[in-house]
Amino acid sequence: MTLKVKVCGSCGEFVQGFFHGAPILITCPIEKFSTVTISDEFFGIEGLGEKSLAMLKKTLEFFSVPKFNFGIRLTSELPRGKGMASSSADLAAVAKAVALSLQKNISAEKISEMAASIEPTDGIFFSGVVAMNPVTGEFLKNISVPEKFNIAIFDYGGEVDTLKFNRRSNFQISKLEDILNFELVEKSALANQEILYKKSLAEIISFAKNLGAVTVNVAHSGTVIGIFFHNDDKNIDAKISEIAWRFDFIKFLTKTRLGIRKKN
């Protein structure tokens, strides 16, 4: 028996702040993944850090399983400390894979609850773009987006310890719209400047939108920003080069797409 489970990471968050006094974020899932492989063809634990081991233990306890009799291996496309939900993706992939190996079901809501008990979490294990409470793991609302945008991810460099870096700006969201509000995305990014400053962010937003970008988001507790382009934009690579040349203190990291998935 060998099985693999992939869970997507994120390009920061579309929005982060407070809603009716409680912490909130709107997820930004992307097509980059953490993968957990479980098999009876190898043994031991490979690639699981402290947080992932904690999730392995919690999942086994949830299913009242005293001992795990398979090998488990974690690999990831997601860089650490960048605000790309690498830890959240790892935790979810572990929980889903262990449940599958035990021929059990585990809901996204339960995974979110367990992940939040380990550290503040991103809700990338929910289907599509959602609003959720990163501290409790509570799901709040599905958020529609008009298309599966292409995203150019740029990095300011360095790393942020997201477990230690758990401050939020006082950015207040008064209403959760059914459709993603791109103006709100940019306001949230700029409001976060008082918490985690990103050089020339307002200028980057203006420059990118003049090139035809739809919006720009940030990792509110990380080092990356995402520049969103329409799927039918044929000049994305040239525009990425223009942005990289104009703002040479940020590094182009990767191009991906918004991870809008159908519910299982």
Side-chain angles (χ1 to χ4, degrees):
M1 180 277 293
T2 298
L3 62 88
K4 289 188 178 184
V5 170
K6 296 170 68 175
V7 174
C8 71
S10 75
C11 176
E13 304 81 23
F14 275 124
V15 175
Q16 182 169 301
F18 290 88
F19 179 65
H20 293 175
I24 189 175
L25 67 77
I26 297 177
T27 61
C28 181
I30 60 172
E31 293 181 345
K32 299 288 181 181
F33 302 91
S34 287
T35 302
V36 167
T37 303
I38 291 179
S39 180
D40 58 6
E41 297 178 4
F42 65 88
F43 298 96
I45 297 171
E46 301 177 24
L48 277 72
E50 182 179 351
K51 300 170 190 175
S52 300
L53 288 171
M55 180 59 97
L56 174 60
K57 180 180 178 182
K58 284 179 179 290
T59 308
L60 294 176
E61 288 174 349
F62 176 68
F63 290 118
S64 300
V65 175
K67 185 179 179 182
F68 194 58
N69 295 317
F70 302 108
I72 181 169
R73 178 184 297 140
L74 170 65
T75 60
S76 183
E77 300 176 281
L78 302 164
R80 308 289 172 182
K82 300 294 184 183
M84 296 180 69
S86 57
S87 292
S88 296
D90 290 352
L91 298 183
V94 167
K96 286 186 174 185
V98 170
L100 189 59
S101 72
L102 298 173
Q103 299 183 331
K104 304 285 188 180
N105 293 317
I106 188 167
S107 67
E109 287 78 10
K110 185 60 184 179
I111 293 173
S112 189
E113 176 191 326
M114 292 195 300
S117 73
I118 295 171
E119 67 171 0
T121 189
D122 190 295
I124 40 76
F125 25 77
F126 292 109
S127 180
V129 176
V130 305
M132 55 88 64
N133 184 320
V135 176
T136 65
E138 179 188 4
F139 170 85
L140 298 174
K141 187 179 180 66
N142 288 302
I143 307 293
S144 296
V145 291
E147 62 181 274
K148 197 169 186 176
F149 296 106
N150 286 299
I151 312 170
I153 302 179
F154 286 83
D155 181 27
Y156 276 84
E159 294 185 10
V160 173
D161 186 331
T162 54
L163 187 56
K164 294 179 180 178
F165 192 93
N166 191 31
R167 296 173 62 203
R168 288 173 181 80
S169 72
N170 290 321
F171 187 65
Q172 301 290 327
I173 302 169
S174 59
K175 183 179 179 181
L176 284 178
E177 305 286 350
D178 291 331
I179 299 176
L180 189 66
N181 182 331
F182 296 126
E183 183 180 354
L184 190 68
V185 171
E186 292 153 26
K187 286 182 178 180
S188 180
L190 293 170
N192 200 63
Q193 288 288 75
E194 65 184 70
I195 301 298
L196 183 57
Y197 180 75
K198 291 178 171 62
K199 181 180 176 181
S200 302
L201 179 59
E203 290 82 358
I204 292 171
I205 293 172
S206 177
F207 188 83
K209 292 185 74 174
N210 284 336
L211 289 177
V214 178
T215 194
V216 177
N217 82 323
V218 302
H220 291 72
S221 57
T223 64
V224 298
I225 64 172
I227 302 177
F228 291 72
F229 295 96
H230 288 295
N231 292 326
D232 59 0
D233 192 326
K234 305 299 183 184
N235 299 307
I236 293 175
D237 291 341
K239 292 174 180 181
I240 289 171
S241 296
E242 282 194 62
I243 294 166
W245 179 83
R246 173 64 178 81
F247 303 98
D248 60 2
F249 47 85
I250 55 175
K251 178 184 178 182
F252 174 62
L253 199 61
T254 189
K255 184 171 67 174
T256 185
R257 299 179 73 193
L258 187 63
I260 304 172
R261 309 179 306 283
K262 294 181 179 178
K263 283 193 173 184
N264 295 327

